[in-house]
Amino acid sequence: MHRHRVMISAAVVAAAIGFVPTAAQAADQPAERQGSVSAQVEAAKAAAAKSAVFHSPAERTVRTTGKAAAAQAAGAAGTAGAAKDNAGLAVDLRATATTARGISLASQVTTGVDTPVRVDIDWGDGKTDTEHVTRTKLLTSKHTFAEVGKHKVTVTLTDQNNNVTATNSVEVQSLGSKFTPHTPTRLLDTRSGIGGTNRPVSPYGVARVKVGGNSGIPADATAVALNITVVSPRSGGHITAYPSGTEQPTTSNVNFVAGQTVPNMTIVPVGADGYVELVNRSYGDVDLLADVTGYFSPSASAGGYTSLNPFRIADSRTGQGTWGQVAGQSTFGLQVAGNGAVPASGVTAVALNVTVTAPRGAGHLTVFPSGQAAPGTSNVNFKAGQTIANSVIVPVGSDGRINIRNGAWDPADVIVDVVGYYSPGSKASYIPTPPTRLHDSREWDFPVEGQDYRWLPLSDGDPTVTAFVLNTTVTDTQGSGHLTVAPDPNTWAQYLNETAKWPTPPNSSNLNWTKGETVPNLVQASTGATGVIDFWNRGWDRTHLVVDMFGFYEKD
């Protein structure tokens, strides 16, 4: 497969529409990298599933005999009695979560006689299944619940010939979690003591952030949406966020240089003790801020996620959403509900990418729901002349609107792209995974060329996965540019047989950079129709690309 690229020496305008080669063929990629991406994704999924195994041993089986057994078989409550026949009738239950709402149930049926035994499985959601055995046997059953959360599965064995029943139950919890928006709230500020410490985080030290049971967040929260901001670090490095009680991963969330104030959004799993840990991987002290905008939990009443192809709802440079640069210390509103593919009602929160460009002074943006005062948190921090983007998840006001406040004293241009929304009617729930590095172009010395793209088959052959939560980082940048992440219309098979056609990137951006910078940003990347995701270098010069996975959304 040959790659044809049109070379044009022109400056890249931040977050603008890039040149799209029309006669180009799909970008080449190392075969080793294609396979390893798929393997890494499957390994992360398997690791997530290992945390959801539920067991009720055979010793917990409750047996009834005689009239009580007959009554129980007919659906009435029986009273315990002493079985005279088939004294060994029992069932061991072991359930494993397999998908966001699905489980696999292994029922080890033990019977002491060769007579028919009916096996009734009550899934605890109004659905039942029935099987029959004539001897000791392991039955495997699969079920998909209508909703996430906890369910009590009950298995009843009925030996009608010997007039005895045996019942065992197991409490299960699905893998998937749903999202509850949270008023933007600061959980950690090492400068002021919020979160328990008023000292900078020392080199390679760890800051612990209390999430579960804090600020109205339930103790069973499985993951949290945090905006992490690094303030005035003394040397360059990066911050890694991970669940408490687990091994520190090799991934990164926020990259910085000495003296820089930089934020990045992350969706990080919560440890069993309710904490998230942030490790300072640098040789200098650093102050850290952590602002929560929502959390994931097994509650079925929370919202699922609908992933969208990225689309723009505001660009002050063109007058879309607001006209002209946003004045310092001012706020403008945006209608989200009913805009583009976002429904007109039922939306509780929206996933955005917010970009600041051409600011005339240093400052920050705060994104918050309409009908509320601006909180004392920040989403995008910037310095004069800088173009910088950050992922944002923000609750939507009762009128379907959000507000954006320019906290600087000077005006700045603001760009807002929508990537998805949360609502009770959305089907996909979130499955956090161990932070996993999927792609590092430095490993293969294979940077993404200017106006080219890297395609990664993250969920090929699995249409139930609708989006991935990724941290994308560009490094060793050879010029200015911006990254656009979007689903690819081609399948993995089309790339392998060289029939893929050059996709068209959307008019949106996920992160911006200048020459020599290392810049990260969270991306909630839609899998589209094929499960292949593209990472477009919209600059004219090559850059290295790093992609880390933190979880995915699944609709079954």
PDB file of all heavy atoms in Angstrom, residues 86 89-91 107-121 130-141 155-161:
ATOM      1  N   ASN A  86     -32.570 -38.154  48.660  1.00  0.00           N
ATOM      2  CA  ASN A  86     -31.721 -37.222  47.904  1.00  0.00           C
ATOM      3  C   ASN A  86     -31.126 -36.156  48.822  1.00  0.00           C
ATOM      4  O   ASN A  86     -31.226 -34.960  48.575  1.00  0.00           O
ATOM      5  CB  ASN A  86     -32.498 -36.554  46.766  1.00  0.00           C
ATOM      6  CG  ASN A  86     -31.576 -36.014  45.676  1.00  0.00           C
ATOM      7  OD1 ASN A  86     -30.350 -36.032  45.818  1.00  0.00           O
ATOM      8  ND2 ASN A  86     -32.167 -35.529  44.600  1.00  0.00           N
ATOM      9  N   LEU A  89     -28.815 -33.163  47.479  1.00  0.00           N
ATOM     10  CA  LEU A  89     -29.266 -32.161  46.522  1.00  0.00           C
ATOM     11  C   LEU A  89     -28.797 -30.769  46.948  1.00  0.00           C
ATOM     12  O   LEU A  89     -29.145 -30.286  48.029  1.00  0.00           O
ATOM     13  CB  LEU A  89     -30.789 -32.191  46.392  1.00  0.00           C
ATOM     14  CG  LEU A  89     -31.373 -31.354  45.250  1.00  0.00           C
ATOM     15  CD1 LEU A  89     -30.933 -31.900  43.897  1.00  0.00           C
ATOM     16  CD2 LEU A  89     -32.898 -31.314  45.348  1.00  0.00           C
ATOM     17  N   ALA A  90     -28.016 -30.120  46.098  1.00  0.00           N
ATOM     18  CA  ALA A  90     -27.461 -28.792  46.425  1.00  0.00           C
ATOM     19  C   ALA A  90     -26.994 -28.134  45.129  1.00  0.00           C
ATOM     20  O   ALA A  90     -26.863 -28.783  44.087  1.00  0.00           O
ATOM     21  CB  ALA A  90     -26.309 -28.911  47.413  1.00  0.00           C
ATOM     22  N   VAL A  91     -26.718 -26.830  45.231  1.00  0.00           N
ATOM     23  CA  VAL A  91     -26.220 -26.107  44.062  1.00  0.00           C
ATOM     24  C   VAL A  91     -25.214 -25.053  44.496  1.00  0.00           C
ATOM     25  O   VAL A  91     -25.438 -24.308  45.458  1.00  0.00           O
ATOM     26  CB  VAL A  91     -27.372 -25.466  43.255  1.00  0.00           C
ATOM     27  CG1 VAL A  91     -28.177 -24.485  44.097  1.00  0.00           C
ATOM     28  CG2 VAL A  91     -26.852 -24.787  41.989  1.00  0.00           C
ATOM     29  N   SER A 107     -23.825 -22.898  37.484  1.00  0.00           N
ATOM     30  CA  SER A 107     -24.581 -23.579  38.552  1.00  0.00           C
ATOM     31  C   SER A 107     -24.106 -25.026  38.622  1.00  0.00           C
ATOM     32  O   SER A 107     -24.404 -25.835  37.727  1.00  0.00           O
ATOM     33  CB  SER A 107     -26.086 -23.536  38.260  1.00  0.00           C
ATOM     34  OG  SER A 107     -26.543 -22.208  38.078  1.00  0.00           O
ATOM     35  N   GLN A 108     -23.352 -25.350  39.674  1.00  0.00           N
ATOM     36  CA  GLN A 108     -22.879 -26.717  39.867  1.00  0.00           C
ATOM     37  C   GLN A 108     -23.944 -27.486  40.656  1.00  0.00           C
ATOM     38  O   GLN A 108     -24.073 -27.333  41.865  1.00  0.00           O
ATOM     39  CB  GLN A 108     -21.549 -26.739  40.606  1.00  0.00           C
ATOM     40  CG  GLN A 108     -21.005 -28.133  40.885  1.00  0.00           C
ATOM     41  CD  GLN A 108     -20.713 -28.908  39.605  1.00  0.00           C
ATOM     42  OE1 GLN A 108     -19.879 -28.500  38.816  1.00  0.00           O
ATOM     43  NE2 GLN A 108     -21.411 -30.028  39.407  1.00  0.00           N
ATOM     44  N   VAL A 109     -24.730 -28.281  39.927  1.00  0.00           N
ATOM     45  CA  VAL A 109     -25.826 -29.028  40.542  1.00  0.00           C
ATOM     46  C   VAL A 109     -25.294 -30.368  41.045  1.00  0.00           C
ATOM     47  O   VAL A 109     -24.652 -31.117  40.296  1.00  0.00           O
ATOM     48  CB  VAL A 109     -26.968 -29.255  39.535  1.00  0.00           C
ATOM     49  CG1 VAL A 109     -28.084 -30.081  40.165  1.00  0.00           C
ATOM     50  CG2 VAL A 109     -27.500 -27.920  39.027  1.00  0.00           C
ATOM     51  N   THR A 110     -25.556 -30.653  42.306  1.00  0.00           N
ATOM     52  CA  THR A 110     -25.173 -31.932  42.902  1.00  0.00           C
ATOM     53  C   THR A 110     -26.436 -32.665  43.312  1.00  0.00           C
ATOM     54  O   THR A 110     -27.281 -32.119  44.040  1.00  0.00           O
ATOM     55  CB  THR A 110     -24.279 -31.730  44.136  1.00  0.00           C
ATOM     56  OG1 THR A 110     -23.119 -30.989  43.758  1.00  0.00           O
ATOM     57  CG2 THR A 110     -23.864 -33.069  44.728  1.00  0.00           C
ATOM     58  N   THR A 111     -26.599 -33.890  42.848  1.00  0.00           N
ATOM     59  CA  THR A 111     -27.760 -34.700  43.216  1.00  0.00           C
ATOM     60  C   THR A 111     -27.289 -36.107  43.547  1.00  0.00           C
ATOM     61  O   THR A 111     -26.362 -36.630  42.907  1.00  0.00           O
ATOM     62  CB  THR A 111     -28.808 -34.717  42.097  1.00  0.00           C
ATOM     63  OG1 THR A 111     -29.895 -35.569  42.476  1.00  0.00           O
ATOM     64  CG2 THR A 111     -28.216 -35.166  40.773  1.00  0.00           C
ATOM     65  N   GLY A 112     -27.922 -36.697  44.547  1.00  0.00           N
ATOM     66  CA  GLY A 112     -27.499 -38.019  45.008  1.00  0.00           C
ATOM     67  C   GLY A 112     -28.238 -39.169  44.371  1.00  0.00           C
ATOM     68  O   GLY A 112     -27.948 -40.336  44.670  1.00  0.00           O
ATOM     69  N   VAL A 113     -29.203 -38.886  43.501  1.00  0.00           N
ATOM     70  CA  VAL A 113     -29.980 -39.953  42.876  1.00  0.00           C
ATOM     71  C   VAL A 113     -30.115 -39.661  41.379  1.00  0.00           C
ATOM     72  O   VAL A 113     -29.978 -38.519  40.942  1.00  0.00           O
ATOM     73  CB  VAL A 113     -31.375 -40.069  43.523  1.00  0.00           C
ATOM     74  CG1 VAL A 113     -31.271 -40.491  44.985  1.00  0.00           C
ATOM     75  CG2 VAL A 113     -32.129 -38.758  43.418  1.00  0.00           C
ATOM     76  N   ASP A 114     -30.393 -40.716  40.618  1.00  0.00           N
ATOM     77  CA  ASP A 114     -30.561 -40.551  39.179  1.00  0.00           C
ATOM     78  C   ASP A 114     -32.027 -40.348  38.828  1.00  0.00           C
ATOM     79  O   ASP A 114     -32.646 -41.149  38.118  1.00  0.00           O
ATOM     80  CB  ASP A 114     -30.000 -41.769  38.435  1.00  0.00           C
ATOM     81  CG  ASP A 114     -28.493 -41.836  38.499  1.00  0.00           C
ATOM     82  OD1 ASP A 114     -27.870 -40.756  38.618  1.00  0.00           O
ATOM     83  OD2 ASP A 114     -27.939 -42.941  38.439  1.00  0.00           O
ATOM     84  N   THR A 115     -32.591 -39.283  39.350  1.00  0.00           N
ATOM     85  CA  THR A 115     -33.968 -38.931  39.027  1.00  0.00           C
ATOM     86  C   THR A 115     -33.974 -37.523  38.456  1.00  0.00           C
ATOM     87  O   THR A 115     -33.064 -36.730  38.730  1.00  0.00           O
ATOM     88  CB  THR A 115     -34.866 -38.983  40.284  1.00  0.00           C
ATOM     89  OG1 THR A 115     -34.310 -38.126  41.286  1.00  0.00           O
ATOM     90  CG2 THR A 115     -34.977 -40.408  40.816  1.00  0.00           C
ATOM     91  N   PRO A 116     -34.990 -37.180  37.652  1.00  0.00           N
ATOM     92  CA  PRO A 116     -35.007 -35.850  37.039  1.00  0.00           C
ATOM     93  C   PRO A 116     -35.052 -34.719  38.080  1.00  0.00           C
ATOM     94  O   PRO A 116     -35.771 -34.806  39.081  1.00  0.00           O
ATOM     95  CB  PRO A 116     -36.289 -35.871  36.198  1.00  0.00           C
ATOM     96  CG  PRO A 116     -36.586 -37.319  35.981  1.00  0.00           C
ATOM     97  CD  PRO A 116     -36.126 -38.016  37.215  1.00  0.00           C
ATOM     98  N   VAL A 117     -34.259 -33.689  37.828  1.00  0.00           N
ATOM     99  CA  VAL A 117     -34.236 -32.496  38.685  1.00  0.00           C
ATOM    100  C   VAL A 117     -34.484 -31.276  37.793  1.00  0.00           C
ATOM    101  O   VAL A 117     -33.794 -31.081  36.793  1.00  0.00           O
ATOM    102  CB  VAL A 117     -32.895 -32.341  39.423  1.00  0.00           C
ATOM    103  CG1 VAL A 117     -32.839 -31.011  40.181  1.00  0.00           C
ATOM    104  CG2 VAL A 117     -32.675 -33.507  40.379  1.00  0.00           C
ATOM    105  N   ARG A 118     -35.501 -30.512  38.179  1.00  0.00           N
ATOM    106  CA  ARG A 118     -35.765 -29.273  37.447  1.00  0.00           C
ATOM    107  C   ARG A 118     -34.958 -28.137  38.072  1.00  0.00           C
ATOM    108  O   ARG A 118     -34.896 -28.008  39.294  1.00  0.00           O
ATOM    109  CB  ARG A 118     -37.253 -28.927  37.488  1.00  0.00           C
ATOM    110  CG  ARG A 118     -37.635 -27.795  36.536  1.00  0.00           C
ATOM    111  CD  ARG A 118     -39.115 -27.517  36.578  1.00  0.00           C
ATOM    112  NE  ARG A 118     -39.481 -26.805  37.792  1.00  0.00           N
ATOM    113  CZ  ARG A 118     -40.703 -26.788  38.304  1.00  0.00           C
ATOM    114  NH1 ARG A 118     -41.667 -27.515  37.731  1.00  0.00           N
ATOM    115  NH2 ARG A 118     -40.954 -26.103  39.397  1.00  0.00           N
ATOM    116  N   VAL A 119     -34.353 -27.312  37.220  1.00  0.00           N
ATOM    117  CA  VAL A 119     -33.522 -26.183  37.660  1.00  0.00           C
ATOM    118  C   VAL A 119     -34.210 -24.896  37.214  1.00  0.00           C
ATOM    119  O   VAL A 119     -34.299 -24.618  36.016  1.00  0.00           O
ATOM    120  CB  VAL A 119     -32.101 -26.256  37.083  1.00  0.00           C
ATOM    121  CG1 VAL A 119     -31.246 -25.109  37.617  1.00  0.00           C
ATOM    122  CG2 VAL A 119     -31.456 -27.605  37.397  1.00  0.00           C
ATOM    123  N   ASP A 120     -34.710 -24.125  38.167  1.00  0.00           N
ATOM    124  CA  ASP A 120     -35.361 -22.841  37.878  1.00  0.00           C
ATOM    125  C   ASP A 120     -34.423 -21.705  38.283  1.00  0.00           C
ATOM    126  O   ASP A 120     -33.989 -21.634  39.435  1.00  0.00           O
ATOM    127  CB  ASP A 120     -36.674 -22.709  38.648  1.00  0.00           C
ATOM    128  CG  ASP A 120     -37.727 -23.695  38.159  1.00  0.00           C
ATOM    129  OD1 ASP A 120     -38.010 -23.680  36.952  1.00  0.00           O
ATOM    130  OD2 ASP A 120     -38.241 -24.488  38.986  1.00  0.00           O
ATOM    131  N   ILE A 121     -34.129 -20.822  37.336  1.00  0.00           N
ATOM    132  CA  ILE A 121     -33.252 -19.667  37.589  1.00  0.00           C
ATOM    133  C   ILE A 121     -34.097 -18.407  37.574  1.00  0.00           C
ATOM    134  O   ILE A 121     -34.701 -18.062  36.554  1.00  0.00           O
ATOM    135  CB  ILE A 121     -32.144 -19.563  36.528  1.00  0.00           C
ATOM    136  CG1 ILE A 121     -31.335 -20.866  36.458  1.00  0.00           C
ATOM    137  CG2 ILE A 121     -31.222 -18.378  36.835  1.00  0.00           C
ATOM    138  CD1 ILE A 121     -30.331 -20.896  35.320  1.00  0.00           C
ATOM    139  N   THR A 130     -35.541 -22.114  32.800  1.00  0.00           N
ATOM    140  CA  THR A 130     -35.698 -23.448  33.371  1.00  0.00           C
ATOM    141  C   THR A 130     -34.895 -24.462  32.562  1.00  0.00           C
ATOM    142  O   THR A 130     -34.918 -24.431  31.315  1.00  0.00           O
ATOM    143  CB  THR A 130     -37.181 -23.869  33.395  1.00  0.00           C
ATOM    144  OG1 THR A 130     -37.914 -22.956  34.201  1.00  0.00           O
ATOM    145  CG2 THR A 130     -37.338 -25.268  33.965  1.00  0.00           C
ATOM    146  N   GLU A 131     -34.181 -25.338  33.279  1.00  0.00           N
ATOM    147  CA  GLU A 131     -33.451 -26.424  32.644  1.00  0.00           C
ATOM    148  C   GLU A 131     -33.723 -27.702  33.428  1.00  0.00           C
ATOM    149  O   GLU A 131     -34.300 -27.664  34.533  1.00  0.00           O
ATOM    150  CB  GLU A 131     -31.955 -26.119  32.591  1.00  0.00           C
ATOM    151  CG  GLU A 131     -31.617 -24.853  31.802  1.00  0.00           C
ATOM    152  CD  GLU A 131     -30.166 -24.808  31.394  1.00  0.00           C
ATOM    153  OE1 GLU A 131     -29.641 -25.860  30.964  1.00  0.00           O
ATOM    154  OE2 GLU A 131     -29.574 -23.722  31.492  1.00  0.00           O
ATOM    155  N   HIS A 132     -33.284 -28.845  32.877  1.00  0.00           N
ATOM    156  CA  HIS A 132     -33.486 -30.129  33.544  1.00  0.00           C
ATOM    157  C   HIS A 132     -32.194 -30.934  33.508  1.00  0.00           C
ATOM    158  O   HIS A 132     -31.471 -30.927  32.495  1.00  0.00           O
ATOM    159  CB  HIS A 132     -34.608 -30.926  32.870  1.00  0.00           C
ATOM    160  CG  HIS A 132     -35.956 -30.283  32.976  1.00  0.00           C
ATOM    161  ND1 HIS A 132     -36.367 -29.291  32.109  1.00  0.00           N
ATOM    162  CD2 HIS A 132     -36.972 -30.470  33.867  1.00  0.00           C
ATOM    163  CE1 HIS A 132     -37.594 -28.910  32.444  1.00  0.00           C
ATOM    164  NE2 HIS A 132     -37.980 -29.607  33.502  1.00  0.00           N
ATOM    165  N   VAL A 133     -31.907 -31.632  34.612  1.00  0.00           N
ATOM    166  CA  VAL A 133     -30.754 -32.525  34.679  1.00  0.00           C
ATOM    167  C   VAL A 133     -31.199 -33.832  35.312  1.00  0.00           C
ATOM    168  O   VAL A 133     -32.229 -33.898  36.004  1.00  0.00           O
ATOM    169  CB  VAL A 133     -29.599 -31.909  35.504  1.00  0.00           C
ATOM    170  CG1 VAL A 133     -29.123 -30.608  34.885  1.00  0.00           C
ATOM    171  CG2 VAL A 133     -30.008 -31.690  36.950  1.00  0.00           C
ATOM    172  N   THR A 134     -30.423 -34.880  35.097  1.00  0.00           N
ATOM    173  CA  THR A 134     -30.731 -36.178  35.706  1.00  0.00           C
ATOM    174  C   THR A 134     -29.601 -36.678  36.589  1.00  0.00           C
ATOM    175  O   THR A 134     -29.716 -37.717  37.218  1.00  0.00           O
ATOM    176  CB  THR A 134     -31.024 -37.231  34.623  1.00  0.00           C
ATOM    177  OG1 THR A 134     -29.905 -37.301  33.726  1.00  0.00           O
ATOM    178  CG2 THR A 134     -32.293 -36.870  33.849  1.00  0.00           C
ATOM    179  N   ARG A 135     -28.526 -35.919  36.625  1.00  0.00           N
ATOM    180  CA  ARG A 135     -27.388 -36.307  37.469  1.00  0.00           C
ATOM    181  C   ARG A 135     -26.567 -35.049  37.773  1.00  0.00           C
ATOM    182  O   ARG A 135     -26.888 -33.955  37.285  1.00  0.00           O
ATOM    183  CB  ARG A 135     -26.516 -37.351  36.767  1.00  0.00           C
ATOM    184  CG  ARG A 135     -25.949 -36.884  35.438  1.00  0.00           C
ATOM    185  CD  ARG A 135     -25.141 -37.992  34.769  1.00  0.00           C
ATOM    186  NE  ARG A 135     -25.941 -39.155  34.514  1.00  0.00           N
ATOM    187  CZ  ARG A 135     -26.677 -39.326  33.397  1.00  0.00           C
ATOM    188  NH1 ARG A 135     -26.706 -38.368  32.475  1.00  0.00           N
ATOM    189  NH2 ARG A 135     -27.373 -40.417  33.212  1.00  0.00           N
ATOM    190  N   THR A 136     -25.535 -35.182  38.579  1.00  0.00           N
ATOM    191  CA  THR A 136     -24.667 -34.055  38.908  1.00  0.00           C
ATOM    192  C   THR A 136     -24.121 -33.439  37.617  1.00  0.00           C
ATOM    193  O   THR A 136     -23.611 -34.155  36.748  1.00  0.00           O
ATOM    194  CB  THR A 136     -23.510 -34.516  39.809  1.00  0.00           C
ATOM    195  OG1 THR A 136     -24.054 -34.949  41.066  1.00  0.00           O
ATOM    196  CG2 THR A 136     -22.516 -33.390  40.046  1.00  0.00           C
ATOM    197  N   LYS A 137     -24.252 -32.107  37.532  1.00  0.00           N
ATOM    198  CA  LYS A 137     -23.884 -31.452  36.286  1.00  0.00           C
ATOM    199  C   LYS A 137     -23.588 -29.983  36.517  1.00  0.00           C
ATOM    200  O   LYS A 137     -24.176 -29.354  37.392  1.00  0.00           O
ATOM    201  CB  LYS A 137     -25.018 -31.595  35.258  1.00  0.00           C
ATOM    202  CG  LYS A 137     -24.670 -31.089  33.872  1.00  0.00           C
ATOM    203  CD  LYS A 137     -25.804 -31.349  32.896  1.00  0.00           C
ATOM    204  CE  LYS A 137     -25.451 -30.869  31.501  1.00  0.00           C
ATOM    205  NZ  LYS A 137     -26.559 -31.103  30.535  1.00  0.00           N
ATOM    206  N   LEU A 138     -22.688 -29.430  35.689  1.00  0.00           N
ATOM    207  CA  LEU A 138     -22.401 -27.996  35.706  1.00  0.00           C
ATOM    208  C   LEU A 138     -23.185 -27.344  34.574  1.00  0.00           C
ATOM    209  O   LEU A 138     -22.986 -27.661  33.405  1.00  0.00           O
ATOM    210  CB  LEU A 138     -20.907 -27.734  35.520  1.00  0.00           C
ATOM    211  CG  LEU A 138     -20.497 -26.261  35.420  1.00  0.00           C
ATOM    212  CD1 LEU A 138     -20.795 -25.524  36.725  1.00  0.00           C
ATOM    213  CD2 LEU A 138     -19.014 -26.130  35.067  1.00  0.00           C
ATOM    214  N   LEU A 139     -24.091 -26.436  34.945  1.00  0.00           N
ATOM    215  CA  LEU A 139     -24.879 -25.699  33.965  1.00  0.00           C
ATOM    216  C   LEU A 139     -24.314 -24.291  33.818  1.00  0.00           C
ATOM    217  O   LEU A 139     -24.014 -23.636  34.815  1.00  0.00           O
ATOM    218  CB  LEU A 139     -26.342 -25.613  34.402  1.00  0.00           C
ATOM    219  CG  LEU A 139     -27.124 -26.924  34.505  1.00  0.00           C
ATOM    220  CD1 LEU A 139     -28.524 -26.640  35.041  1.00  0.00           C
ATOM    221  CD2 LEU A 139     -27.186 -27.611  33.152  1.00  0.00           C
ATOM    222  N   THR A 140     -24.191 -23.827  32.590  1.00  0.00           N
ATOM    223  CA  THR A 140     -23.743 -22.457  32.333  1.00  0.00           C
ATOM    224  C   THR A 140     -24.873 -21.701  31.646  1.00  0.00           C
ATOM    225  O   THR A 140     -25.363 -22.138  30.598  1.00  0.00           O
ATOM    226  CB  THR A 140     -22.491 -22.432  31.452  1.00  0.00           C
ATOM    227  OG1 THR A 140     -21.443 -23.155  32.115  1.00  0.00           O
ATOM    228  CG2 THR A 140     -22.035 -21.002  31.205  1.00  0.00           C
ATOM    229  N   SER A 141     -25.267 -20.581  32.240  1.00  0.00           N
ATOM    230  CA  SER A 141     -26.369 -19.780  31.713  1.00  0.00           C
ATOM    231  C   SER A 141     -25.908 -18.340  31.563  1.00  0.00           C
ATOM    232  O   SER A 141     -25.116 -17.839  32.368  1.00  0.00           O
ATOM    233  CB  SER A 141     -27.582 -19.839  32.650  1.00  0.00           C
ATOM    234  OG  SER A 141     -27.897 -21.168  32.999  1.00  0.00           O
ATOM    235  N   VAL A 155     -31.481 -19.743  42.367  1.00  0.00           N
ATOM    236  CA  VAL A 155     -31.603 -21.012  41.648  1.00  0.00           C
ATOM    237  C   VAL A 155     -32.284 -22.025  42.562  1.00  0.00           C
ATOM    238  O   VAL A 155     -31.843 -22.246  43.697  1.00  0.00           O
ATOM    239  CB  VAL A 155     -30.230 -21.536  41.189  1.00  0.00           C
ATOM    240  CG1 VAL A 155     -30.368 -22.902  40.520  1.00  0.00           C
ATOM    241  CG2 VAL A 155     -29.572 -20.547  40.229  1.00  0.00           C
ATOM    242  N   THR A 156     -33.360 -22.617  42.067  1.00  0.00           N
ATOM    243  CA  THR A 156     -34.121 -23.605  42.829  1.00  0.00           C
ATOM    244  C   THR A 156     -34.102 -24.943  42.110  1.00  0.00           C
ATOM    245  O   THR A 156     -34.447 -25.023  40.919  1.00  0.00           O
ATOM    246  CB  THR A 156     -35.577 -23.154  43.019  1.00  0.00           C
ATOM    247  OG1 THR A 156     -35.594 -21.915  43.719  1.00  0.00           O
ATOM    248  CG2 THR A 156     -36.369 -24.190  43.812  1.00  0.00           C
ATOM    249  N   LEU A 157     -33.655 -25.987  42.818  1.00  0.00           N
ATOM    250  CA  LEU A 157     -33.668 -27.360  42.299  1.00  0.00           C
ATOM    251  C   LEU A 157     -34.903 -28.065  42.835  1.00  0.00           C
ATOM    252  O   LEU A 157     -35.192 -28.006  44.039  1.00  0.00           O
ATOM    253  CB  LEU A 157     -32.417 -28.119  42.734  1.00  0.00           C
ATOM    254  CG  LEU A 157     -31.063 -27.418  42.523  1.00  0.00           C
ATOM    255  CD1 LEU A 157     -29.931 -28.318  43.019  1.00  0.00           C
ATOM    256  CD2 LEU A 157     -30.862 -27.054  41.065  1.00  0.00           C
ATOM    257  N   THR A 158     -35.627 -28.757  41.968  1.00  0.00           N
ATOM    258  CA  THR A 158     -36.827 -29.479  42.393  1.00  0.00           C
ATOM    259  C   THR A 158     -36.728 -30.930  41.939  1.00  0.00           C
ATOM    260  O   THR A 158     -36.689 -31.216  40.737  1.00  0.00           O
ATOM    261  CB  THR A 158     -38.098 -28.850  41.803  1.00  0.00           C
ATOM    262  OG1 THR A 158     -38.173 -27.477  42.193  1.00  0.00           O
ATOM    263  CG2 THR A 158     -39.338 -29.582  42.304  1.00  0.00           C
ATOM    264  N   ASP A 159     -36.643 -31.847  42.940  1.00  0.00           N
ATOM    265  CA  ASP A 159     -36.681 -33.290  42.684  1.00  0.00           C
ATOM    266  C   ASP A 159     -38.076 -33.764  43.064  1.00  0.00           C
ATOM    267  O   ASP A 159     -38.356 -34.057  44.233  1.00  0.00           O
ATOM    268  CB  ASP A 159     -35.611 -33.990  43.519  1.00  0.00           C
ATOM    269  CG  ASP A 159     -35.580 -35.498  43.303  1.00  0.00           C
ATOM    270  OD1 ASP A 159     -36.498 -36.015  42.620  1.00  0.00           O
ATOM    271  OD2 ASP A 159     -34.662 -36.154  43.820  1.00  0.00           O
ATOM    272  N   GLN A 160     -38.971 -33.824  42.076  1.00  0.00           N
ATOM    273  CA  GLN A 160     -40.362 -34.149  42.364  1.00  0.00           C
ATOM    274  C   GLN A 160     -40.539 -35.597  42.782  1.00  0.00           C
ATOM    275  O   GLN A 160     -41.435 -35.923  43.570  1.00  0.00           O
ATOM    276  CB  GLN A 160     -41.230 -33.830  41.143  1.00  0.00           C
ATOM    277  CG  GLN A 160     -41.319 -32.341  40.828  1.00  0.00           C
ATOM    278  CD  GLN A 160     -42.171 -32.049  39.613  1.00  0.00           C
ATOM    279  OE1 GLN A 160     -42.239 -32.845  38.686  1.00  0.00           O
ATOM    280  NE2 GLN A 160     -42.817 -30.887  39.607  1.00  0.00           N
ATOM    281  N   ASN A 161     -39.688 -36.496  42.272  1.00  0.00           N
ATOM    282  CA  ASN A 161     -39.804 -37.907  42.645  1.00  0.00           C
ATOM    283  C   ASN A 161     -39.554 -38.116  44.127  1.00  0.00           C
ATOM    284  O   ASN A 161     -40.168 -38.983  44.766  1.00  0.00           O
ATOM    285  CB  ASN A 161     -38.828 -38.755  41.838  1.00  0.00           C
ATOM    286  CG  ASN A 161     -39.238 -38.868  40.380  1.00  0.00           C
ATOM    287  OD1 ASN A 161     -40.308 -38.403  39.998  1.00  0.00           O
ATOM    288  ND2 ASN A 161     -38.389 -39.494  39.563  1.00  0.00           N
TER     289      ASN A 161
END
